[in-house]
Amino acid sequence: MRTISSFIILLIVTLIIGKHINSHKTHYSFALSITIGSIIANMAFDSAIPFTQIFVSFLTIVLMFYLFLFLSAKSRKIRKWFSGRPTVLIEDGKILEHNMKKLKFSLDDLDQHLRELGEFDFNELDYVLLEVSGQLSIQKKDRYQPVTKQDLHLPSKNISIPRELIMDGRIVEKNVNETYTKAWITQQCRSRNLEIKDVFYAVINSSGTLFIDQYKDNLQSPSDVE
């Protein structure tokens, strides 16, 4: 019962604050994640500690997290102290050895992170920052920036997020509107000799192109089958 209760409590709390923790990859969110994991583990398995006491401790930690969020939103100085600041590793195309040594960040670490981002040529880099989350942010030199439609004076159009119409053989009701009605979705499936129940996933992009994936892929020899 302790294990089940602890897991349910953890699910409820992560549903409430999970996005805050994942989006704010800072020092205190990292500390909170570790602390919550430890408390939940003790809540579930350590019968020597009364459940009520450790539950109160758990709620205290969560309330402290909200307090830190509130203080960080109100004060930039406090936000810097709690959240930290990014560190510049490359400026004007030059590696800042002092900052690298201060962070104990080796050239091998820098090379690896850059390769993971698809960057292999130091000559193309203007600024590189190590964020609090541990990820690198990169700005390339102007001549290596990708060309945009604006640069080429090409017409542009508004792009909306794809609209999922069918998932797991069922129409996604909330995405049905005056344009993409149930009748339209059904007709699109029947034009492909399919029923709604035969479709695993159907999504339409901003240009109006419909992608449909069936349950039966009709592949003679799939490359990988779990």
Side-chain angles (χ1 to χ4, degrees), residues 59-180:
L59 289 181
T60 303
I61 290 294
V62 174
L63 291 175
M64 286 177 60
F65 174 71
Y66 271 110
L67 177 62
F68 290 157
L69 282 180
F70 176 79
L71 294 175
S72 297
K74 292 292 183 180
S75 172
R76 189 165 184 265
K77 290 183 179 180
I78 294 177
R79 184 163 61 249
K80 287 182 179 179
W81 191 82
F82 281 127
S83 303
R85 290 183 294 180
T87 303
V88 180
L89 300 182
I90 295 178
E91 183 175 353
D92 292 331
K94 297 178 175 61
I95 299 175
L96 304 183
E97 296 85 357
H98 175 72
N99 286 351
M100 297 271 291
K101 291 179 181 178
K102 185 169 64 175
L103 293 173
K104 305 298 186 291
F105 203 80
S106 69
L107 285 172
D108 291 331
D109 295 328
L110 181 60
D111 284 338
Q112 177 185 338
H113 280 70
L114 290 173
R115 288 195 301 270
E116 290 173 349
L117 294 173
E119 301 295 338
F120 291 85
D121 192 347
F122 277 83
N123 290 315
E124 297 182 2
L125 304 177
D126 195 11
Y127 281 88
V128 175
L129 292 86
L130 180 64
E131 303 291 352
V132 177
S133 63
Q135 303 296 319
L136 290 186
S137 296
I138 293 174
Q139 177 174 299
K140 290 189 175 184
K141 294 177 181 178
D142 185 65
R143 59 182 176 274
Y144 295 111
Q145 295 284 350
V147 178
T148 65
K149 285 187 174 182
Q150 184 176 356
D151 296 328
L152 299 176
H153 304 290
L154 296 175
S156 59
K157 60 181 180 178
N158 293 329
I159 298 176
S160 59
I161 62 173
R163 181 182 292 268
E164 296 171 329
L165 301 178
I166 300 175
M167 293 183 71
D168 299 319
R170 295 182 180 180
I171 293 177
V172 182
E173 299 284 347
K174 66 177 183 179
N175 289 338
V176 174
N177 59 16
E178 295 178 357
T179 304
Y180 306 115

Side-chain angles (χ1 to χ4, degrees), residues 24-32 80-85 132:
H24 298 83
K25 295 181 179 179
T26 57
H27 304 314
Y28 68 88
S29 65
F30 175 71
L32 176 75
K80 287 182 179 179
W81 191 82
F82 281 127
S83 303
R85 290 183 294 180
V132 177

Side-chain angles (χ1 to χ4, degrees), residues 171-173 176-177 180-188 196:
I171 293 177
V172 182
E173 299 284 347
V176 174
N177 59 16
Y180 306 115
T181 62
K182 289 184 179 180
W184 183 87
I185 297 171
T186 303
Q187 189 274 328
Q188 291 295 318
I196 299 295

